[in-house]
Short mmCIF file of all heavy atoms in Angstrom, two decimals:
data_model
loop_
_atom_site.label_atom_id
_atom_site.label_comp_id
_atom_site.label_asym_id
_atom_site.label_seq_id
_atom_site.Cartn_x
_atom_site.Cartn_y
_atom_site.Cartn_z
N THR B 313 -2.09 -28.57 -6.25
CA THR B 313 -0.69 -28.18 -6.05
C THR B 313 0.21 -29.41 -6.06
O THR B 313 1.28 -29.42 -6.68
CB THR B 313 -0.53 -27.44 -4.72
OG1 THR B 313 -1.37 -26.28 -4.73
CG2 THR B 313 0.92 -27.03 -4.49
N LEU B 314 -0.22 -30.46 -5.34
CA LEU B 314 0.56 -31.69 -5.30
C LEU B 314 0.70 -32.29 -6.69
O LEU B 314 1.79 -32.73 -7.08
CB LEU B 314 -0.09 -32.70 -4.35
CG LEU B 314 0.59 -34.07 -4.26
CD1 LEU B 314 2.02 -33.91 -3.77
CD2 LEU B 314 -0.19 -34.99 -3.33
N GLN B 315 -0.40 -32.27 -7.45
CA GLN B 315 -0.34 -32.81 -8.79
C GLN B 315 0.61 -32.00 -9.66
O GLN B 315 1.39 -32.54 -10.45
CB GLN B 315 -1.75 -32.81 -9.41
CG GLN B 315 -1.81 -33.47 -10.79
CD GLN B 315 -1.50 -34.96 -10.73
OE1 GLN B 315 -1.74 -35.61 -9.71
NE2 GLN B 315 -0.96 -35.50 -11.81
N GLY B 316 0.55 -30.65 -9.46
CA GLY B 316 1.46 -29.79 -10.21
C GLY B 316 2.91 -30.05 -9.87
O GLY B 316 3.78 -30.07 -10.74
N VAL B 317 3.18 -30.24 -8.55
CA VAL B 317 4.55 -30.53 -8.11
C VAL B 317 5.02 -31.86 -8.70
O VAL B 317 6.16 -31.98 -9.18
CB VAL B 317 4.63 -30.55 -6.58
CG1 VAL B 317 5.97 -31.09 -6.12
CG2 VAL B 317 4.40 -29.16 -6.01
N MET B 318 4.13 -32.85 -8.65
CA MET B 318 4.51 -34.16 -9.18
C MET B 318 4.82 -34.08 -10.67
O MET B 318 5.78 -34.68 -11.16
CB MET B 318 3.40 -35.17 -8.91
CG MET B 318 3.23 -35.52 -7.44
SD MET B 318 1.90 -36.71 -7.15
CE MET B 318 2.51 -38.14 -8.04
N GLU B 319 4.00 -33.32 -11.39
CA GLU B 319 4.22 -33.23 -12.82
C GLU B 319 5.46 -32.39 -13.13
O GLU B 319 6.13 -32.60 -14.15
CB GLU B 319 2.98 -32.64 -13.51
CG GLU B 319 1.76 -33.53 -13.44
CD GLU B 319 2.03 -34.91 -14.02
OE1 GLU B 319 2.74 -35.02 -15.05
OE2 GLU B 319 1.54 -35.90 -13.46
N ALA B 320 5.74 -31.40 -12.26
CA ALA B 320 6.90 -30.54 -12.51
C ALA B 320 8.21 -31.25 -12.20
O ALA B 320 9.27 -30.85 -12.70
CB ALA B 320 6.79 -29.26 -11.68
N ALA B 321 8.15 -32.27 -11.33
CA ALA B 321 9.37 -32.99 -10.94
C ALA B 321 9.73 -33.98 -12.04
O ALA B 321 9.53 -35.20 -11.91
CB ALA B 321 9.16 -33.70 -9.61
N THR B 322 10.27 -33.46 -13.13
CA THR B 322 10.56 -34.32 -14.28
C THR B 322 11.82 -35.16 -14.09
O THR B 322 12.07 -36.07 -14.87
CB THR B 322 10.71 -33.46 -15.54
OG1 THR B 322 11.74 -32.48 -15.32
CG2 THR B 322 9.40 -32.73 -15.86
N GLN B 323 12.66 -34.82 -13.09
CA GLN B 323 13.88 -35.59 -12.85
C GLN B 323 13.76 -36.49 -11.63
O GLN B 323 14.71 -37.18 -11.29
CB GLN B 323 15.06 -34.63 -12.67
CG GLN B 323 15.30 -33.70 -13.85
CD GLN B 323 15.55 -34.46 -15.14
OE1 GLN B 323 16.29 -35.45 -15.15
NE2 GLN B 323 14.92 -34.01 -16.22
N THR B 324 12.61 -36.46 -10.96
CA THR B 324 12.40 -37.27 -9.76
C THR B 324 11.16 -38.13 -9.97
O THR B 324 10.09 -37.62 -10.33
CB THR B 324 12.20 -36.38 -8.52
OG1 THR B 324 13.35 -35.55 -8.36
CG2 THR B 324 11.99 -37.22 -7.28
N ALA B 325 11.29 -39.41 -9.73
CA ALA B 325 10.16 -40.32 -9.87
C ALA B 325 9.33 -40.31 -8.58
O ALA B 325 9.87 -40.55 -7.50
CB ALA B 325 10.64 -41.74 -10.16
N ILE B 326 8.05 -39.98 -8.71
CA ILE B 326 7.12 -39.99 -7.58
C ILE B 326 6.01 -40.97 -7.91
O ILE B 326 5.23 -40.76 -8.86
CB ILE B 326 6.55 -38.58 -7.30
CG1 ILE B 326 7.69 -37.59 -7.07
CG2 ILE B 326 5.61 -38.61 -6.11
CD1 ILE B 326 7.23 -36.16 -6.88
N ILE B 327 5.92 -42.03 -7.13
CA ILE B 327 4.99 -43.12 -7.42
C ILE B 327 4.23 -43.45 -6.15
O ILE B 327 4.83 -43.54 -5.07
CB ILE B 327 5.74 -44.37 -7.93
CG1 ILE B 327 6.58 -44.02 -9.16
CG2 ILE B 327 4.77 -45.51 -8.23
CD1 ILE B 327 7.56 -45.12 -9.58
N THR B 328 2.92 -43.63 -6.25
CA THR B 328 2.11 -44.06 -5.10
C THR B 328 1.41 -45.37 -5.45
O THR B 328 1.11 -45.64 -6.61
CB THR B 328 1.07 -43.01 -4.71
OG1 THR B 328 0.17 -42.77 -5.82
CG2 THR B 328 1.73 -41.69 -4.33
N THR B 329 1.17 -46.17 -4.41
CA THR B 329 0.46 -47.43 -4.57
C THR B 329 -0.60 -47.54 -3.49
O THR B 329 -0.57 -46.82 -2.50
CB THR B 329 1.40 -48.63 -4.47
OG1 THR B 329 1.81 -48.79 -3.10
CG2 THR B 329 2.63 -48.46 -5.33
N ASP B 330 -1.54 -48.47 -3.68
CA ASP B 330 -2.47 -48.79 -2.61
C ASP B 330 -1.82 -49.81 -1.69
O ASP B 330 -0.65 -50.16 -1.86
CB ASP B 330 -3.82 -49.27 -3.16
CG ASP B 330 -3.66 -50.52 -4.06
OD1 ASP B 330 -2.62 -51.21 -3.95
OD2 ASP B 330 -4.57 -50.80 -4.85
N VAL B 331 -2.56 -50.27 -0.69
CA VAL B 331 -1.97 -51.19 0.28
C VAL B 331 -1.59 -52.52 -0.34
O VAL B 331 -0.76 -53.26 0.21
CB VAL B 331 -2.93 -51.42 1.47
CG1 VAL B 331 -3.07 -50.16 2.30
CG2 VAL B 331 -4.31 -51.87 0.98
N LEU B 332 -2.20 -52.86 -1.49
CA LEU B 332 -1.88 -54.12 -2.15
C LEU B 332 -0.72 -53.99 -3.12
O LEU B 332 -0.27 -54.98 -3.69
CB LEU B 332 -3.11 -54.65 -2.89
CG LEU B 332 -4.32 -54.96 -2.01
CD1 LEU B 332 -5.49 -55.42 -2.88
CD2 LEU B 332 -3.98 -56.01 -0.97
N GLY B 333 -0.24 -52.76 -3.31
CA GLY B 333 0.90 -52.55 -4.19
C GLY B 333 0.55 -52.10 -5.58
O GLY B 333 1.45 -51.83 -6.38
N ARG B 334 -0.75 -51.98 -5.91
CA ARG B 334 -1.12 -51.51 -7.24
C ARG B 334 -0.81 -50.01 -7.37
O ARG B 334 -1.12 -49.23 -6.48
CB ARG B 334 -2.60 -51.75 -7.52
CG ARG B 334 -2.96 -53.22 -7.73
CD ARG B 334 -4.40 -53.36 -8.18
NE ARG B 334 -5.31 -52.88 -7.15
CZ ARG B 334 -5.88 -53.64 -6.23
NH1 ARG B 334 -5.62 -54.94 -6.21
NH2 ARG B 334 -6.70 -53.13 -5.33
N VAL B 335 -0.20 -49.64 -8.50
CA VAL B 335 0.20 -48.25 -8.72
C VAL B 335 -1.04 -47.38 -8.86
O VAL B 335 -1.96 -47.69 -9.63
CB VAL B 335 1.08 -48.13 -9.98
CG1 VAL B 335 1.42 -46.67 -10.27
CG2 VAL B 335 2.35 -48.94 -9.80
N THR B 336 -1.08 -46.26 -8.09
CA THR B 336 -2.20 -45.34 -8.16
C THR B 336 -1.82 -44.01 -8.80
O THR B 336 -2.69 -43.26 -9.23
CB THR B 336 -2.78 -45.08 -6.76
OG1 THR B 336 -1.73 -44.62 -5.89
CG2 THR B 336 -3.37 -46.36 -6.18
N SER B 337 -0.52 -43.67 -8.82
CA SER B 337 -0.07 -42.47 -9.53
C SER B 337 1.36 -42.69 -9.99
O SER B 337 2.14 -43.42 -9.36
CB SER B 337 -0.16 -41.23 -8.65
OG SER B 337 0.76 -41.29 -7.58
N PHE B 338 1.69 -42.05 -11.10
CA PHE B 338 2.98 -42.29 -11.77
C PHE B 338 3.32 -40.99 -12.49
O PHE B 338 2.75 -40.67 -13.53
CB PHE B 338 2.79 -43.45 -12.77
CG PHE B 338 4.06 -44.09 -13.25
CD1 PHE B 338 4.72 -45.02 -12.46
CD2 PHE B 338 4.57 -43.81 -14.51
CE1 PHE B 338 5.88 -45.65 -12.92
CE2 PHE B 338 5.71 -44.43 -14.97
CZ PHE B 338 6.36 -45.35 -14.18
N ASN B 339 4.21 -40.18 -11.89
CA ASN B 339 4.42 -38.83 -12.41
C ASN B 339 5.32 -38.80 -13.64
O ASN B 339 5.85 -39.84 -14.08
CB ASN B 339 4.96 -37.92 -11.31
CG ASN B 339 6.46 -38.11 -11.10
OD1 ASN B 339 6.96 -39.22 -11.21
ND2 ASN B 339 7.17 -37.03 -10.79
N ALA B 340 5.52 -37.59 -14.18
CA ALA B 340 6.32 -37.44 -15.39
C ALA B 340 7.76 -37.86 -15.15
O ALA B 340 8.42 -38.39 -16.06
CB ALA B 340 6.26 -35.99 -15.87
N GLY B 341 8.28 -37.60 -13.94
CA GLY B 341 9.64 -38.03 -13.65
C GLY B 341 9.80 -39.54 -13.73
O GLY B 341 10.81 -40.05 -14.21
N ALA B 342 8.79 -40.27 -13.23
CA ALA B 342 8.84 -41.73 -13.32
C ALA B 342 8.76 -42.18 -14.78
O ALA B 342 9.44 -43.13 -15.18
CB ALA B 342 7.69 -42.33 -12.51
N GLU B 343 7.94 -41.49 -15.57
CA GLU B 343 7.85 -41.85 -16.99
C GLU B 343 9.20 -41.63 -17.69
O GLU B 343 9.65 -42.48 -18.47
CB GLU B 343 6.77 -41.00 -17.66
CG GLU B 343 5.35 -41.32 -17.18
CD GLU B 343 4.32 -40.44 -17.86
OE1 GLU B 343 4.72 -39.39 -18.42
OE2 GLU B 343 3.12 -40.78 -17.82
N ASN B 344 9.85 -40.48 -17.39
CA ASN B 344 11.14 -40.21 -18.02
C ASN B 344 12.20 -41.21 -17.59
O ASN B 344 13.07 -41.59 -18.38
CB ASN B 344 11.60 -38.79 -17.66
CG ASN B 344 10.69 -37.73 -18.25
OD1 ASN B 344 10.01 -37.96 -19.24
ND2 ASN B 344 10.67 -36.56 -17.63
N LEU B 345 12.14 -41.62 -16.33
CA LEU B 345 13.18 -42.50 -15.79
C LEU B 345 13.02 -43.94 -16.27
O LEU B 345 14.00 -44.59 -16.63
CB LEU B 345 13.15 -42.45 -14.27
CG LEU B 345 14.26 -43.17 -13.51
CD1 LEU B 345 15.61 -42.54 -13.84
CD2 LEU B 345 14.01 -43.11 -12.01
N LEU B 346 11.78 -44.42 -16.28
CA LEU B 346 11.54 -45.85 -16.52
C LEU B 346 11.07 -46.18 -17.94
O LEU B 346 11.20 -47.32 -18.38
CB LEU B 346 10.53 -46.39 -15.52
CG LEU B 346 11.03 -46.43 -14.07
CD1 LEU B 346 9.89 -46.75 -13.12
CD2 LEU B 346 12.13 -47.46 -13.92
N GLY B 347 10.47 -45.18 -18.60
CA GLY B 347 10.04 -45.45 -19.98
C GLY B 347 8.60 -45.84 -20.12
O GLY B 347 8.04 -45.78 -21.22
N TRP B 348 7.94 -46.27 -19.03
CA TRP B 348 6.50 -46.55 -19.10
C TRP B 348 5.72 -45.26 -18.90
O TRP B 348 6.20 -44.32 -18.26
CB TRP B 348 6.09 -47.55 -18.01
CG TRP B 348 6.49 -48.96 -18.29
CD1 TRP B 348 5.88 -49.85 -19.14
CD2 TRP B 348 7.58 -49.68 -17.71
NE1 TRP B 348 6.53 -51.06 -19.13
CE2 TRP B 348 7.59 -50.99 -18.25
CE3 TRP B 348 8.57 -49.35 -16.79
CZ2 TRP B 348 8.51 -51.96 -17.89
CZ3 TRP B 348 9.49 -50.30 -16.44
CH2 TRP B 348 9.47 -51.59 -16.98
N THR B 349 4.50 -45.20 -19.41
CA THR B 349 3.62 -44.07 -19.17
C THR B 349 2.68 -44.40 -18.02
O THR B 349 2.55 -45.57 -17.63
CB THR B 349 2.80 -43.73 -20.42
OG1 THR B 349 1.90 -44.82 -20.69
CG2 THR B 349 3.70 -43.50 -21.61
N ALA B 350 2.04 -43.36 -17.48
CA ALA B 350 1.08 -43.58 -16.40
C ALA B 350 -0.04 -44.50 -16.85
O ALA B 350 -0.52 -45.35 -16.08
CB ALA B 350 0.52 -42.24 -15.92
N ALA B 351 -0.47 -44.36 -18.10
CA ALA B 351 -1.54 -45.22 -18.60
C ALA B 351 -1.12 -46.69 -18.63
O ALA B 351 -1.96 -47.59 -18.52
CB ALA B 351 -1.96 -44.76 -20.00
#
Side-chain angles (χ1 to χ4, degrees):
T313 301
L314 177 60
Q315 185 65 28
V317 170
M318 291 179 63
E319 293 304 321
T322 57
Q323 302 301 317
T324 301
I326 304 176
I327 304 169
T328 60
T329 72
D330 58 20
V331 291
L332 299 178
R334 289 188 296 266
V335 176
T336 55
S337 68
F338 197 80
N339 79 324
E343 292 179 343
N344 294 336
L345 187 63
L346 292 170
W348 285 282
T349 66

